[in-house]
Amino acid sequence: MSSRGTVVLVAVVAVFIAFMTAYSVYQAQLVASVAERPIAAQTLQPYAPVNVTINVQGADQQIQSVYSHTIGSIVMVSCITETTTVTFFGPQQSYEEVIGSGFFVNYSGNLYVVTNYHVVNGAVSVAVTLMNGSSYPASIVGTDPYSDLAVLHVNATLNVQPLQLANSNNLRIGETVMAVGSPYGLAGSLTVGEVSQLGRSIQESTVTGYPIADLIQTSAPINPGNSGGPLLDLNGDVVGVNTAIIAESQGIGFAIPSNIVARELPYLVKYGSYNLHPWLGVEIVGLDYFATQALHLPVSYGVEIVSVVKGGPAAKAGLIGANSSVEYYGMQIPSGGDVIIAINGTPVTNTDALTSYMEANVLPGQTIVLTIVRNGQIMNVPVVVGARPPPSDPQYYSTV
């Protein structure tokens, strides 16, 4: 190494040593100054994570208590149904046993059993079996195919405690619920789940072609034979009547809200039917984002009127159905129809929102205000709501 290089190296080493010495002095002074400063006691406390304790044993005891206090009010409903088939040799009758569930309620001091319409539809003989094994004949007092409800009267004097109907408007998503019934004839079976969603609508082919609206969706397992049984809250009160599942699904069941039962029970007992379901007289289709883009709508939701029943409430109000279609990435989207985006100021985001709002809040003869989009313009249209046509007329099955 040259003498010049040696000088440079020595200079660098000298600078480095000086820097480290100065830094050591600075660190010592910094530590000393920090040590002299008082530190608030709370800053010395370590981070305390939030401990969430779930009392599983307590929840189990609550469920067990509800079951033991309500099981005596729940029955298995057995029916013999008759089907007539027209053959070359004339009408032929066939018979089948149907198993469902039900529960006792009180109305005007008398005991009645609530169950599903599709359990007793076509029944020529009905019996109920209590959980103690005793069976009694029953008669059908009233039915409503549109809500899939039926009321029975047991032809015997019974010492049974009726169940109480809760206010289903107080239900919250995530709330624990219990389904009790006789799936596959296994009387007294209990399943537990949560309220998965509210305000659902389904089209149950075993009842009518009309959608059943404003239903509770639950994860409590429901199987054939559970139909008509109660959906209970943790107080042991009825929040719904188990009615249907989606075929081949897991944890997707539906129940009729108890408020619908409470509203219809007086009519079913007194008149044998309930004829106050609201009806617009339109066929509708829900619009997703892609459909609203294809139709160049100013909103990204709503339901489009596909067709209007001649002489129906919507037709009298001047509402318009689709008259053409547009293609959007290979999809055919109906176009030209009024798009409903709100009812009485409440947003209509899909078909469930429209049918559930009407079922829960509207009666025939009342005037509602529909907010629609027509030709790109938003406007309000008053509509005098009608009553849904009888289920014996299938031409209206696809309308609401």
Side-chain angles (χ1 to χ4, degrees), residues 102-120:
F103 57 94
F104 283 99
V105 296
N106 172 67
Y107 178 72
S108 294
N110 297 309
L111 286 175
Y112 295 93
V113 171
V114 173
T115 187
N116 283 147
Y117 167 77
H118 77 260
V119 171
V120 300

Side-chain angles (χ1 to χ4, degrees), residues 8 26 55 57 65 95 111 117 119 136 158-159 190 230 235 240 252 255 267 297 342 353 380 383-384 386 389:
V8 171
Y26 168 76
N55 188 351
Q57 183 178 3
S65 176
Y95 300 91
L111 286 175
Y117 167 77
V119 171
Y136 304 92
L158 301 173
N159 183 20
L190 164 71
N235 294 318
I252 303 179
Y267 294 88
L297 296 178
N380 291 323
V383 182
V384 179

